[in-house]
PDB file of all heavy atoms in Angstrom:
ATOM      1  N   ALA A 211      79.881 101.226 115.051  1.00  0.00           N
ATOM      2  CA  ALA A 211      79.836 102.488 114.306  1.00  0.00           C
ATOM      3  C   ALA A 211      81.085 103.333 114.507  1.00  0.00           C
ATOM      4  O   ALA A 211      81.352 104.237 113.718  1.00  0.00           O
ATOM      5  CB  ALA A 211      78.607 103.298 114.722  1.00  0.00           C
ATOM      6  N   ARG A 214      86.948 100.180 115.801  1.00  0.00           N
ATOM      7  CA  ARG A 214      87.002  98.744 115.520  1.00  0.00           C
ATOM      8  C   ARG A 214      88.434  98.267 115.673  1.00  0.00           C
ATOM      9  O   ARG A 214      89.362  99.061 115.549  1.00  0.00           O
ATOM     10  CB  ARG A 214      86.551  98.450 114.073  1.00  0.00           C
ATOM     11  CG  ARG A 214      85.084  98.735 113.857  1.00  0.00           C
ATOM     12  CD  ARG A 214      84.671  98.501 112.410  1.00  0.00           C
ATOM     13  NE  ARG A 214      83.394  99.147 112.160  1.00  0.00           N
ATOM     14  CZ  ARG A 214      82.962  99.491 110.953  1.00  0.00           C
ATOM     15  NH1 ARG A 214      83.693  99.261 109.890  1.00  0.00           N
ATOM     16  NH2 ARG A 214      81.794 100.074 110.810  1.00  0.00           N
ATOM     17  N   HIS A 290      87.837 103.326 110.847  1.00  0.00           N
ATOM     18  CA  HIS A 290      87.330 102.970 112.186  1.00  0.00           C
ATOM     19  C   HIS A 290      88.471 102.470 113.076  1.00  0.00           C
ATOM     20  O   HIS A 290      88.455 102.685 114.277  1.00  0.00           O
ATOM     21  CB  HIS A 290      86.239 101.907 112.076  1.00  0.00           C
ATOM     22  CG  HIS A 290      84.980 102.429 111.452  1.00  0.00           C
ATOM     23  ND1 HIS A 290      84.074 103.192 112.151  1.00  0.00           N
ATOM     24  CD2 HIS A 290      84.493 102.324 110.203  1.00  0.00           C
ATOM     25  CE1 HIS A 290      83.068 103.506 111.350  1.00  0.00           C
ATOM     26  NE2 HIS A 290      83.295 102.999 110.158  1.00  0.00           N
ATOM     27  N   ALA A 295      86.327 107.581 112.598  1.00  0.00           N
ATOM     28  CA  ALA A 295      85.140 107.404 111.759  1.00  0.00           C
ATOM     29  C   ALA A 295      83.941 107.064 112.633  1.00  0.00           C
ATOM     30  O   ALA A 295      84.074 106.412 113.673  1.00  0.00           O
ATOM     31  CB  ALA A 295      85.380 106.279 110.752  1.00  0.00           C
ATOM     32  N   PHE A 296      82.795 107.545 112.177  1.00  0.00           N
ATOM     33  CA  PHE A 296      81.551 107.294 112.904  1.00  0.00           C
ATOM     34  C   PHE A 296      80.429 107.105 111.895  1.00  0.00           C
ATOM     35  O   PHE A 296      80.230 107.942 111.014  1.00  0.00           O
ATOM     36  CB  PHE A 296      81.248 108.482 113.834  1.00  0.00           C
ATOM     37  CG  PHE A 296      80.049 108.280 114.722  1.00  0.00           C
ATOM     38  CD1 PHE A 296      80.064 107.316 115.724  1.00  0.00           C
ATOM     39  CD2 PHE A 296      78.905 109.060 114.565  1.00  0.00           C
ATOM     40  CE1 PHE A 296      78.947 107.123 116.556  1.00  0.00           C
ATOM     41  CE2 PHE A 296      77.802 108.880 115.387  1.00  0.00           C
ATOM     42  CZ  PHE A 296      77.826 107.916 116.383  1.00  0.00           C
ATOM     43  N   ASP A 297      79.724 105.983 111.985  1.00  0.00           N
ATOM     44  CA  ASP A 297      78.605 105.730 111.075  1.00  0.00           C
ATOM     45  C   ASP A 297      77.327 106.285 111.695  1.00  0.00           C
ATOM     46  O   ASP A 297      76.932 105.884 112.797  1.00  0.00           O
ATOM     47  CB  ASP A 297      78.453 104.222 110.824  1.00  0.00           C
ATOM     48  CG  ASP A 297      79.682 103.625 110.148  1.00  0.00           C
ATOM     49  OD1 ASP A 297      80.397 104.379 109.456  1.00  0.00           O
ATOM     50  OD2 ASP A 297      79.934 102.421 110.315  1.00  0.00           O
ATOM     51  N   ASP A 322      79.831 104.980 100.672  1.00  0.00           N
ATOM     52  CA  ASP A 322      79.573 104.527 102.050  1.00  0.00           C
ATOM     53  C   ASP A 322      78.850 105.681 102.738  1.00  0.00           C
ATOM     54  O   ASP A 322      79.447 106.509 103.424  1.00  0.00           O
ATOM     55  CB  ASP A 322      80.887 104.177 102.749  1.00  0.00           C
ATOM     56  CG  ASP A 322      80.649 103.494 104.089  1.00  0.00           C
ATOM     57  OD1 ASP A 322      79.488 103.473 104.550  1.00  0.00           O
ATOM     58  OD2 ASP A 322      81.623 103.000 104.679  1.00  0.00           O
ATOM     59  N   HIS A 325      78.868 106.748 106.576  1.00  0.00           N
ATOM     60  CA  HIS A 325      80.231 106.842 107.133  1.00  0.00           C
ATOM     61  C   HIS A 325      80.758 108.282 107.113  1.00  0.00           C
ATOM     62  O   HIS A 325      80.891 108.882 106.052  1.00  0.00           O
ATOM     63  CB  HIS A 325      81.138 105.930 106.305  1.00  0.00           C
ATOM     64  CG  HIS A 325      82.561 105.889 106.744  1.00  0.00           C
ATOM     65  ND1 HIS A 325      83.070 104.872 107.523  1.00  0.00           N
ATOM     66  CD2 HIS A 325      83.600 106.728 106.516  1.00  0.00           C
ATOM     67  CE1 HIS A 325      84.359 105.089 107.751  1.00  0.00           C
ATOM     68  NE2 HIS A 325      84.704 106.217 107.144  1.00  0.00           N
TER      69      HIS A 325
HETATM   70 ZN1   ZN B 458      82.037 103.432 108.568  1.00  0.00          ZN
END
Side-chain angles (χ1 to χ4, degrees):
R214 292 177 197 158
H290 291 282
F296 185 67
D297 298 334
D322 189 350
H325 181 99

